[in-house]
Amino acid sequence: MSSETSPDQPPIRFDTKIAVLLRDDLETWQRLNVTSFLVSGLGSTLPEVIGDPYEDADGTQYLPMFRQPVVVFEATKEVLKAAHARALSRALPRAVFTSDLFSTGNDRDNRAAVRAVGTGELDLVGLAVYGPRNGVDKVVKGARMHP
């Protein structure tokens, strides 16, 4: 079944949500970097969030992407920490990005940097979360839409 919208098919609505929450003191390049790393974690482990491959009118094929929008928020360090705790308490699939990852240069060192710090002490700069719309809304409570 095609997920494309046509005049005889209503648009698809999702009862789930993908949200990225960024700390509000990040530089622009950091916001982009953190967002791309965070969503890669969701797409790589949750196949249900990935749609069908794309193809243009000439038949050139493109990789599939998320099947639904990614909503990006920003918040203070404190709101981000509270959102992380709420995501954990709801056992929602999540990805984290800590400030330490800006100084590492490879995947092995990234994982080691996160592993070296206890959950409550992580210096979070970003969080991605996926789950039921109302659960994700509760996780990002207090954050504002990214400008």
Side-chain angles (χ1 to χ4, degrees), residues 4-22:
E4 297 174 22
T5 302
S6 68
D8 57 326
Q9 293 179 324
I12 298 171
R13 302 285 183 226
F14 298 97
D15 59 355
T16 57
K17 190 176 216 175
I18 299 171
V20 172
L21 181 55
L22 301 171

Side-chain angles (χ1 to χ4, degrees), residues 45-93:
T45 59
L46 301 166
E48 68 270 20
V49 301
I50 303 297
D52 294 330
Y54 286 76
E55 184 176 312
D56 65 26
D58 295 326
T60 304
Q61 296 186 359
Y62 304 94
L63 295 172
M65 296 185 281
F66 288 128
R67 66 185 180 131
Q68 64 191 92
V70 176
V71 185
V72 181
F73 297 89
E74 68 174 7
T76 63
K77 184 176 187 172
E78 296 76 22
V79 170
L80 183 55
K81 186 172 185 132
H84 179 243
R86 288 190 294 267
L88 291 172
S89 72
R90 287 174 164 62
L92 293 176

Side-chain angles (χ1 to χ4, degrees), residues 85-109:
R86 288 190 294 267
L88 291 172
S89 72
R90 287 174 164 62
L92 293 176
R94 67 220 161 257
V96 296
F97 197 105
T98 67
S99 63
D100 296 329
L101 303 186
F102 290 127
S103 62
T104 59
N106 62 75
D107 184 54
R108 183 184 64 241
D109 291 343

Side-chain angles (χ1 to χ4, degrees), residues 89-138:
S89 72
R90 287 174 164 62
L92 293 176
R94 67 220 161 257
V96 296
F97 197 105
T98 67
S99 63
D100 296 329
L101 303 186
F102 290 127
S103 62
T104 59
N106 62 75
D107 184 54
R108 183 184 64 241
D109 291 343
N110 285 351
R111 285 182 283 112
V114 173
R115 189 179 311 111
V117 181
T119 304
E121 303 305 314
L122 292 170
D123 185 15
L124 297 170
V125 298
L127 171 71
V129 64
Y130 169 75
R133 180 176 294 282
N134 64 344
V136 172
D137 287 343
K138 289 176 183 174

